[in-house]
Amino acid sequence: MSRNKFNGSIAEIIGNLSSLQVLNFSHNKLTGHIPASFGNLTALESLDLSSNKLTGEIPMQLTGLNFLEVLDLSENQLVGLIP
């Protein structure tokens, strides 16, 4: 779902897609925070949210994604430490 000019915040309900392996929302105009519910995406191997307008901190819940190999959060306005 990259480069689709999506805007607004990322829906928390996406965290219910527990079998999801790849999520790419890069190069859109998404705003708001990265949902803490993404910590429920236990099969996720790749998460690309780069080149949006996301703010806030990276949720600690992402540290539980044991299969995550690719994480790209670049080109956003995130703050704080990397968990």
Side-chain angles (χ1 to χ4, degrees):
M1 295 193 267
S2 176
R3 299 180 190 271
N4 280 297
K5 299 182 184 176
F6 291 147
N7 60 42
S9 60
I10 301 172
E12 287 276 343
I13 198 166
I14 292 175
N16 293 341
L17 303 172
S18 58
S19 297
L20 196 66
Q21 294 179 323
V22 176
L23 181 58
N24 185 344
F25 279 142
S26 67
H27 299 276
N28 284 292
K29 296 180 181 179
L30 297 172
T31 58
H33 295 80
I34 299 170
S37 66
F38 277 18
N40 298 327
L41 301 174
T42 54
L44 200 64
E45 297 174 4
S46 177
L47 176 59
D48 189 347
L49 301 176
S50 64
S51 299
N52 281 287
K53 297 178 180 179
L54 297 171
T55 58
E57 297 184 353
I58 301 169
M60 284 295 291
Q61 291 83 347
L62 296 186
T63 62
L65 300 178
N66 296 326
F67 295 105
L68 193 65
E69 294 180 3
V70 176
L71 176 63
D72 191 347
L73 304 176
S74 63
E75 303 298 322
N76 282 289
Q77 290 131 22
L78 299 169
V79 297
L81 300 174
I82 298 171

